Amino acid sequence: MSRTLVASLVASLVAACSSRRPGEGAEQEPPPQVVLHGARLSTYEGEALTLSGHAERLTYQRTGGDARAFNATLRVPPGAPGGGGVGASKGLEVSAPNMEGLQASKELVASGGVVVRTGEGMVVHTPRLTYDATTESAWGNEGVRIQGPGYNLRSDRFELSFPDETFTFEGSVETVLGAVERD
């Protein structure tokens, strides 16, 4: 996923996260200015589709440009401009109960049980994933489980750099090579 793709994602109201309860004495967040139910999204670069998706419910705050989606799925089609990052040349799908697009920081945060599927056969499960469009990197500190053709990997923390096309796994890391059950 390229910087342009994620920036358009954030700008197109497709990011989301669960609602937050203010701490004691904290100011309560104003209600969203826009609430869409059964939202569908299509993002184009010229005439080429770069991203599609849907959300059960999507809220948008015009003042900061932040968007929240609930029970959302985003798809980068095969061959999409800017969509050929690591493991995404044959398409990519990201699903999560909660996603939040933060316009100011150009971040997308998916949480609540994130599942990423690539057209190459890789399936990633993580409780929370953050994507930073500025650095074109994704990371998570709550564990990750990856299944791919002929391998299975588990790690406490991970980071993915799209420009470098590198994965970094830290903490307790376990890799199993050979035939792996698929979900």
Side-chain angles (χ1 to χ4, degrees):
M1 223 181 292
S2 73
R3 178 178 328 155
T4 304
L5 178 61
V6 172
S8 70
L9 167 72
V10 172
S12 297
L13 309 177
V14 163
C17 187
S18 61
S19 58
R20 298 179 185 150
R21 293 183 183 184
E24 195 135 329
E27 278 188 42
Q28 188 154 12
E29 187 176 295
Q33 293 166 316
V34 177
V35 178
L36 301 170
H37 298 273
R40 295 205 178 276
L41 168 82
S42 297
T43 302
Y44 295 88
E45 216 172 278
E47 292 185 19
L49 178 67
T50 57
L51 180 74
S52 65
H54 61 86
E56 190 174 287
R57 182 169 51 105
L58 184 118
T59 65
Y60 177 64
Q61 200 63 278
R62 274 183 281 180
T63 54
D66 294 348
R68 292 184 177 146
F70 303 88
N71 296 321
T73 298
L74 305 175
R75 289 181 191 87
V76 178
V86 177
S89 63
K90 294 183 180 178
L92 176 79
E93 179 179 285
V94 180
S95 298
N98 308 298
M99 292 187 192
E100 183 172 12
L102 307 170
Q103 186 67 23
S105 64
K106 299 210 182 311
E107 287 186 347
L108 171 70
V109 179
S111 63
V114 183
V115 178
V116 179
R117 295 179 188 278
T118 71
E120 287 86 358
M122 182 171 60
V123 180
V124 178
H125 298 269
T126 186
R128 182 180 178 95
L129 178 137
T130 302
Y131 178 82
D132 183 331
T134 306
T135 62
E136 297 183 58
S137 61
W139 67 89
N141 295 318
E142 297 176 27
V144 65
R145 186 171 44 94
I146 301 173
Q147 296 169 293
Y151 68 92
N152 199 358
L153 182 136
R154 187 201 56 74
S155 176
D156 293 337
R157 293 176 299 284
F158 68 94
E159 184 170 341
L160 167 61
S161 171
F162 288 95
D164 300 341
E165 296 188 354
T166 59
F167 288 99
T168 303
F169 300 101
E170 295 178 332
S172 175
V173 179
E174 177 184 328
T175 305
V176 177
L177 301 175
V180 176
E181 287 185 34
R182 305 294 306 236
D183 58 281

